[in-house]
Amino acid sequence: QGTAPGTYSLYYWIDAPGNVTESDENNNRDAFVIVVSASAKPDLTASASALSTNTPAAGEDINLTATIVNSGNATAGAQVVHYYLHTSVSYNSAHKIGERAVASIAPGTNRDASLDYTVPADHTPGTYYISYWIDAPGSITESNESNNQFDLGLTVGAEVRILGIALPGAYRFLA
């Protein structure tokens, strides 16, 4: 325990001080190679992510789908993905719009973690980011903790309301 990963040689010598008289004094030592591996750890990251639309109107439903993959060498236990909506590259818990529990993921496999979200009707139009953070609480010890956060851009437009229909195919809109 505490030995750095790498290749080591283990040497041994029987009767090193020569206390026992033997017929062959040259066969008392040998060596063999030991390879110490890094401890097995999962590595959670995203292999794909997409928004159902990157130009929703205020009041519109959107879906974010993220495919979470374990590229490590150990199973990752169940974890939670947090989702945020914000206007800059920095965000905090005040920007959180949801979370999803994700079951354990074996090495080399993946799971989908999606979020359905309704942009509030009174949301200010503009450019935003939806970010998601895999294992946001940090409950999984991973081989790489710096590849768990991802951002997708979107532009929120004004809510559009249909007031009435004058003729078939002719609509009046209030923006």
Side-chain angles (χ1 to χ4, degrees):
Q1 192 172 12
T3 302
T7 302
Y8 297 88
S9 295
L10 179 64
Y11 295 94
Y12 65 92
W13 191 349
I14 300 169
D15 190 28
N19 294 335
V20 176
T21 303
E22 300 177 56
S23 61
D24 184 356
E25 292 287 347
N26 295 317
N27 65 355
N28 291 350
R29 54 186 150 182
D30 202 356
F32 57 94
V33 175
I34 298 175
V35 177
V36 177
S37 301
S39 62
K41 291 184 182 176
D43 181 22
L44 299 172
T45 191
S47 63
S49 55
L51 290 170
S52 57
T53 178
N54 60 358
T55 56
E60 186 176 347
D61 294 336
I62 59 174
N63 175 269
L64 171 105
T65 301
T67 302
I68 300 171
V69 64
N70 179 358
S71 59
N73 57 4
T75 298
Q79 86 279 168
V80 177
V81 178
H82 289 187
Y83 302 87
Y84 305 86
L85 180 65
H86 53 97
T87 58
S88 69
V89 292
S90 60
Y91 55 93
N92 59 44
S93 61
H95 301 108
K96 186 175 170 186
I97 58 172
E99 64 181 55
R100 288 291 175 263
V102 177
S104 65
I105 306 173
T109 63
N110 61 59
R111 294 202 184 273
D112 287 336
S114 63
L115 174 76
D116 292 317
Y117 177 70
T118 301
V119 179
D122 61 351
H123 206 77
T124 304
T127 301
Y128 292 86
Y129 298 94
I130 283 193
S131 298
Y132 62 100
W133 187 355
I134 301 166
D135 187 32
S139 60
I140 307 294
T141 301
E142 300 177 60
S143 59
N144 182 355
E145 295 284 357
S146 66
N147 62 351
N148 293 1
Q149 297 178 33
F150 299 89
D151 304 303
L152 298 166
L154 72 154
T155 302
V156 175
E159 179 183 29
V160 177
R161 291 183 227 160
I162 299 175
L163 295 177
I165 300 174
L167 298 171
Y171 300 92
R172 286 184 31 205
F173 294 96
L174 173 65

